[in-house]
Amino acid sequence: MEKKVLGIIGGVGPLATMLLGEMIVRRTVASVDQEHVQMVITNNTSIPDRTTYILDRSKKNPVPVMIADGQKLKSIGAEVIAVPCNTAHSFYEEIQKGIGLPVIHMIQETAKKAKLEGAKKVGILATTGTLTASVYQLACRDVGIQPIVPNEETQKLVMSVIYDDVKAGKSVDFSKWQQIIATMTALGCDRIILGCTELSIVNKELKLDEFYIDSLMVLADCAIELCGYETI
């Protein structure tokens, strides 16, 4: 398979962007530098918040900025695009059309992964913007999985972990995480999708087990394979 250059529209958030790059390197079958995926990465932290825009369309639109970053990546050789932000996939069609390159659909690929692993009733932990846009709910139903979303109180805890802990550069509050998972398992979830790339940081920090399906890891594996390389 022909090797392709990967472009990553980053800064959404910054730590998740760096983790994606690391995941791709660690999960690629390679014995020397030259056998790794070629990547070009932006880390544009000025991209407006995606959830804020979904919840209030009077706020600044992140899409034109993301398209501009994608076009920059294209101009320097990117052939496949990855966006390490689940919420941004609410604007997937617009972003892909604006860039004019294949954009990996992290949410659809994560739902497919859950189906492949035999999940039937999946808890969705994501930003309020992602849940409001229903992108995960639709993707799960499309593959025959029942999506379960947190109640209002639990969703506040999820957003606190994402914004007050990870995006703020702090350690994850384990007591908050325990409350979230206790509620979701009580709802009968047989797996949990980490549907926000900040929650991939939680996965790394807390060393979570295989009960969780990490959307950023799914994106990493898809990127490796679509660029013509082999995953470990």
Side-chain angles (χ1 to χ4, degrees):
M1 183 176 178
E2 182 185 354
K3 300 293 192 290
K4 295 182 178 179
V5 178
L6 178 68
I8 298 176
I9 299 176
V12 286
L15 196 54
T17 302
M18 298 301 104
L19 181 56
L20 176 60
E22 180 183 345
M23 280 182 174
I24 290 170
V25 172
R26 291 188 181 278
R27 296 177 70 80
T28 301
V29 174
S31 56
V32 294
D33 293 349
Q34 292 74 23
E35 294 176 354
H36 280 280
V37 179
Q38 289 190 52
M39 292 182 275
V40 285
I41 305 172
T42 61
N43 197 34
N44 186 358
T45 55
S46 69
I47 296 173
D49 189 270
R50 284 66 60 202
T51 289
T52 301
Y53 179 67
I54 288 171
L55 299 179
D56 182 357
R57 295 286 173 147
S58 71
K59 303 299 183 182
K60 191 171 181 181
N61 186 351
V63 175
V65 186
M66 297 181 73
I67 289 173
D69 281 1
Q71 289 171 340
K72 288 176 187 175
L73 292 170
K74 182 179 179 180
S75 73
I76 55 175
E79 298 165 280
V80 176
I81 297 292
V83 184
C85 173
N86 284 274
T87 310
H89 286 70
S90 304
F91 322 110
Y92 176 83
E93 299 294 341
E94 191 176 351
I95 290 170
Q96 178 162 261
K97 183 178 179 181
I99 297 171
L101 287 176
V103 178
I104 302 167
H105 201 305
M106 176 164 50
I107 291 175
Q108 290 181 359
E109 296 297 337
T110 301
K112 290 177 189 175
K113 176 74 170 178
K115 177 70 172 180
L116 187 64
E117 295 192 358
K120 292 179 172 55
K121 192 174 181 180
V122 177
I124 310 297
L125 299 184
T127 65
T128 303
T130 299
L131 296 183
T132 299
S134 296
V135 282
Y136 261 112
Q137 295 93 310
L138 292 169
C140 285
R141 292 189 187 109
D142 281 346
V143 296
I145 297 174
Q146 181 183 354
I148 305 296
V149 300
N151 58 32
E152 185 177 351
E153 181 180 350
T154 304
Q155 183 59 22
K156 287 179 181 178
L157 289 174
V158 173
M159 289 293 279
S160 181
V161 168
I162 293 168
Y163 281 86
D164 300 333
D165 296 351
V166 179
K167 282 185 179 292
K170 299 177 182 177
S171 296
V172 177
D173 186 327
F174 187 58
S175 65
K176 285 190 288 191
W177 189 252
Q178 286 181 308
Q179 291 178 64
I180 292 165
I181 301 310
T183 301
M184 298 305 289
T185 53
L187 292 172
C189 300
D190 56 20
R191 298 294 291 275
I192 297 286
I193 285 177
L194 301 176
C196 173
T197 50
E198 270 65 46
L199 298 181
S200 301
I201 309 299
V202 176
N203 185 13
K204 182 179 181 181
E205 188 173 321
L206 300 184
K207 296 179 172 61
L208 301 178
D209 59 27
E210 293 182 357
F211 181 65
Y212 301 88
I213 298 170
D214 188 335
S215 61
L216 194 65
M217 192 171 294
V218 172
L219 179 61
D221 287 349
C222 286
I224 293 165
E225 292 169 4
L226 283 173
C227 288
Y229 297 80
E230 185 181 348
T231 57
I232 291 173

